[in-house]
mmCIF file of all heavy atoms in Angstrom:
data_model
loop_
_atom_site.group_PDB
_atom_site.id
_atom_site.type_symbol
_atom_site.label_atom_id
_atom_site.label_comp_id
_atom_site.label_asym_id
_atom_site.label_seq_id
_atom_site.Cartn_x
_atom_site.Cartn_y
_atom_site.Cartn_z
ATOM 1 N N GLU L 110 7.759 -2.431 9.141
ATOM 2 C CA GLU L 110 7.489 -2.555 7.712
ATOM 3 C C GLU L 110 6.025 -2.896 7.417
ATOM 4 O O GLU L 110 5.597 -2.856 6.259
ATOM 5 C CB GLU L 110 8.381 -3.614 7.073
ATOM 6 C CG GLU L 110 9.854 -3.201 6.916
ATOM 7 C CD GLU L 110 10.622 -3.227 8.229
ATOM 8 O OE1 GLU L 110 10.283 -4.047 9.109
ATOM 9 O OE2 GLU L 110 11.574 -2.420 8.383
ATOM 10 N N ASP L 111 5.263 -3.246 8.445
ATOM 11 C CA ASP L 111 3.835 -3.521 8.264
ATOM 12 C C ASP L 111 2.985 -2.259 8.352
ATOM 13 O O ASP L 111 1.765 -2.312 8.178
ATOM 14 C CB ASP L 111 3.358 -4.535 9.303
ATOM 15 C CG ASP L 111 4.022 -5.891 9.149
ATOM 16 O OD1 ASP L 111 4.155 -6.358 7.991
ATOM 17 O OD2 ASP L 111 4.426 -6.476 10.178
ATOM 18 N N THR L 112 3.623 -1.126 8.656
ATOM 19 C CA THR L 112 2.898 0.140 8.701
ATOM 20 C C THR L 112 2.315 0.455 7.329
ATOM 21 O O THR L 112 3.042 0.534 6.336
ATOM 22 C CB THR L 112 3.843 1.275 9.144
ATOM 23 O OG1 THR L 112 4.251 1.040 10.490
ATOM 24 C CG2 THR L 112 3.151 2.627 9.037
ATOM 25 N N ALA L 113 0.994 0.628 7.285
ATOM 26 C CA ALA L 113 0.324 0.825 6.005
ATOM 27 C C ALA L 113 -1.161 1.080 6.236
ATOM 28 O O ALA L 113 -1.683 0.865 7.335
ATOM 29 C CB ALA L 113 0.477 -0.408 5.111
ATOM 30 N N VAL L 114 -1.820 1.522 5.186
ATOM 31 C CA VAL L 114 -3.279 1.477 5.135
ATOM 32 C C VAL L 114 -3.652 0.116 4.563
ATOM 33 O O VAL L 114 -3.103 -0.297 3.532
ATOM 34 C CB VAL L 114 -3.858 2.603 4.261
ATOM 35 C CG1 VAL L 114 -5.373 2.443 4.123
ATOM 36 C CG2 VAL L 114 -3.511 3.963 4.853
ATOM 37 N N TYR L 115 -4.549 -0.561 5.238
ATOM 38 C CA TYR L 115 -4.978 -1.887 4.817
ATOM 39 C C TYR L 115 -6.385 -1.796 4.231
ATOM 40 O O TYR L 115 -7.317 -1.302 4.883
ATOM 41 C CB TYR L 115 -4.953 -2.858 6.000
ATOM 42 C CG TYR L 115 -3.551 -3.279 6.366
ATOM 43 C CD1 TYR L 115 -2.684 -2.400 7.028
ATOM 44 C CD2 TYR L 115 -3.057 -4.537 6.030
ATOM 45 C CE1 TYR L 115 -1.389 -2.758 7.345
ATOM 46 C CE2 TYR L 115 -1.756 -4.915 6.351
ATOM 47 C CZ TYR L 115 -0.938 -4.017 7.004
ATOM 48 O OH TYR L 115 0.357 -4.383 7.311
ATOM 49 N N PHE L 116 -6.497 -2.254 2.993
ATOM 50 C CA PHE L 116 -7.777 -2.267 2.284
ATOM 51 C C PHE L 116 -8.286 -3.699 2.154
ATOM 52 O O PHE L 116 -7.502 -4.615 1.859
ATOM 53 C CB PHE L 116 -7.622 -1.727 0.861
ATOM 54 C CG PHE L 116 -7.144 -0.308 0.757
ATOM 55 C CD1 PHE L 116 -5.804 -0.031 0.504
ATOM 56 C CD2 PHE L 116 -8.028 0.751 0.847
ATOM 57 C CE1 PHE L 116 -5.348 1.273 0.361
ATOM 58 C CE2 PHE L 116 -7.596 2.059 0.708
ATOM 59 C CZ PHE L 116 -6.253 2.316 0.473
ATOM 60 N N CYS L 117 -9.566 -3.897 2.315
ATOM 61 C CA CYS L 117 -10.154 -5.154 1.860
ATOM 62 C C CYS L 117 -10.752 -4.910 0.469
ATOM 63 O O CYS L 117 -11.173 -3.788 0.140
ATOM 64 C CB CYS L 117 -11.204 -5.702 2.817
ATOM 65 S SG CYS L 117 -12.682 -4.705 3.031
ATOM 66 N N ALA L 118 -10.716 -5.929 -0.352
ATOM 67 C CA ALA L 118 -11.191 -5.791 -1.728
ATOM 68 C C ALA L 118 -11.860 -7.093 -2.155
ATOM 69 O O ALA L 118 -11.327 -8.178 -1.918
ATOM 70 C CB ALA L 118 -10.037 -5.456 -2.667
ATOM 71 N N ARG L 119 -12.980 -6.968 -2.795
ATOM 72 C CA ARG L 119 -13.732 -8.130 -3.267
ATOM 73 C C ARG L 119 -13.276 -8.541 -4.653
ATOM 74 O O ARG L 119 -12.842 -7.678 -5.453
ATOM 75 C CB ARG L 119 -15.217 -7.783 -3.321
ATOM 76 C CG ARG L 119 -16.159 -8.957 -3.515
ATOM 77 C CD ARG L 119 -17.553 -8.498 -3.896
ATOM 78 N NE ARG L 119 -17.591 -8.018 -5.280
ATOM 79 C CZ ARG L 119 -18.701 -7.644 -5.901
ATOM 80 N NH1 ARG L 119 -19.852 -7.663 -5.241
ATOM 81 N NH2 ARG L 119 -18.671 -7.226 -7.143
ATOM 82 N N GLY L 120 -13.360 -9.838 -4.951
ATOM 83 C CA GLY L 120 -13.202 -10.263 -6.318
ATOM 84 C C GLY L 120 -14.309 -9.637 -7.151
ATOM 85 O O GLY L 120 -15.453 -9.525 -6.720
ATOM 86 N N GLN L 121 -13.969 -9.198 -8.368
ATOM 87 C CA GLN L 121 -14.933 -8.485 -9.193
ATOM 88 C C GLN L 121 -16.201 -9.303 -9.451
ATOM 89 O O GLN L 121 -17.313 -8.797 -9.372
ATOM 90 C CB GLN L 121 -14.291 -8.108 -10.524
ATOM 91 C CG GLN L 121 -15.225 -7.326 -11.446
ATOM 92 C CD GLN L 121 -14.706 -7.276 -12.871
ATOM 93 O OE1 GLN L 121 -13.918 -8.119 -13.287
ATOM 94 N NE2 GLN L 121 -15.155 -6.296 -13.632
ATOM 95 N N THR L 122 -16.016 -10.578 -9.763
ATOM 96 C CA THR L 122 -17.157 -11.466 -9.972
ATOM 97 C C THR L 122 -16.931 -12.732 -9.173
ATOM 98 O O THR L 122 -15.900 -12.887 -8.521
ATOM 99 C CB THR L 122 -17.340 -11.839 -11.457
ATOM 100 O OG1 THR L 122 -16.267 -12.716 -11.841
ATOM 101 C CG2 THR L 122 -17.331 -10.600 -12.342
ATOM 102 N N GLN L 123 -17.880 -13.613 -9.263
ATOM 103 C CA GLN L 123 -17.744 -14.876 -8.542
ATOM 104 C C GLN L 123 -16.733 -15.807 -9.202
ATOM 105 O O GLN L 123 -16.388 -16.836 -8.637
ATOM 106 C CB GLN L 123 -19.116 -15.541 -8.424
ATOM 107 C CG GLN L 123 -20.077 -14.734 -7.562
ATOM 108 C CD GLN L 123 -21.531 -15.105 -7.774
ATOM 109 O OE1 GLN L 123 -21.921 -15.475 -8.876
ATOM 110 N NE2 GLN L 123 -22.340 -15.007 -6.733
ATOM 111 N N THR L 124 -16.244 -15.428 -10.383
ATOM 112 C CA THR L 124 -15.295 -16.300 -11.090
ATOM 113 C C THR L 124 -13.973 -15.616 -11.413
ATOM 114 O O THR L 124 -13.096 -16.246 -11.982
ATOM 115 C CB THR L 124 -15.916 -16.822 -12.400
ATOM 116 O OG1 THR L 124 -16.338 -15.706 -13.184
ATOM 117 C CG2 THR L 124 -17.109 -17.718 -12.106
ATOM 118 N N ASN L 125 -13.818 -14.366 -11.088
ATOM 119 C CA ASN L 125 -12.502 -13.758 -11.270
ATOM 120 C C ASN L 125 -12.116 -12.956 -10.040
ATOM 121 O O ASN L 125 -12.944 -12.694 -9.166
ATOM 122 C CB ASN L 125 -12.422 -12.908 -12.552
ATOM 123 C CG ASN L 125 -13.042 -11.532 -12.406
ATOM 124 O OD1 ASN L 125 -12.895 -10.860 -11.383
ATOM 125 N ND2 ASN L 125 -13.715 -11.084 -13.447
ATOM 126 N N ASN L 126 -10.843 -12.627 -9.944
ATOM 127 C CA ASN L 126 -10.339 -11.977 -8.740
ATOM 128 C C ASN L 126 -9.724 -10.619 -9.037
ATOM 129 O O ASN L 126 -8.712 -10.243 -8.459
ATOM 130 C CB ASN L 126 -9.324 -12.875 -8.014
ATOM 131 C CG ASN L 126 -9.042 -12.384 -6.597
ATOM 132 O OD1 ASN L 126 -9.917 -11.843 -5.935
ATOM 133 N ND2 ASN L 126 -7.808 -12.554 -6.147
ATOM 134 N N TRP L 127 -10.314 -9.872 -9.989
ATOM 135 C CA TRP L 127 -9.950 -8.469 -10.055
ATOM 136 C C TRP L 127 -10.577 -7.784 -8.840
ATOM 137 O O TRP L 127 -11.606 -8.220 -8.335
ATOM 138 C CB TRP L 127 -10.474 -7.835 -11.353
ATOM 139 C CG TRP L 127 -9.917 -8.466 -12.591
ATOM 140 C CD1 TRP L 127 -10.613 -9.053 -13.606
ATOM 141 C CD2 TRP L 127 -8.527 -8.595 -12.949
ATOM 142 N NE1 TRP L 127 -9.759 -9.533 -14.557
ATOM 143 C CE2 TRP L 127 -8.476 -9.257 -14.194
ATOM 144 C CE3 TRP L 127 -7.330 -8.196 -12.346
ATOM 145 C CZ2 TRP L 127 -7.264 -9.546 -14.840
ATOM 146 C CZ3 TRP L 127 -6.133 -8.487 -12.986
ATOM 147 C CH2 TRP L 127 -6.106 -9.142 -14.211
#
Side-chain angles (χ1 to χ4, degrees):
Chain L
E110 287 75 30
D111 296 317
T112 294
V114 175
Y115 285 74
F116 299 99
C117 64
R119 192 194 73 175
Q121 181 195 23
T122 70
Q123 295 162 327
T124 56
N125 80 40
N126 194 33
W127 299 122

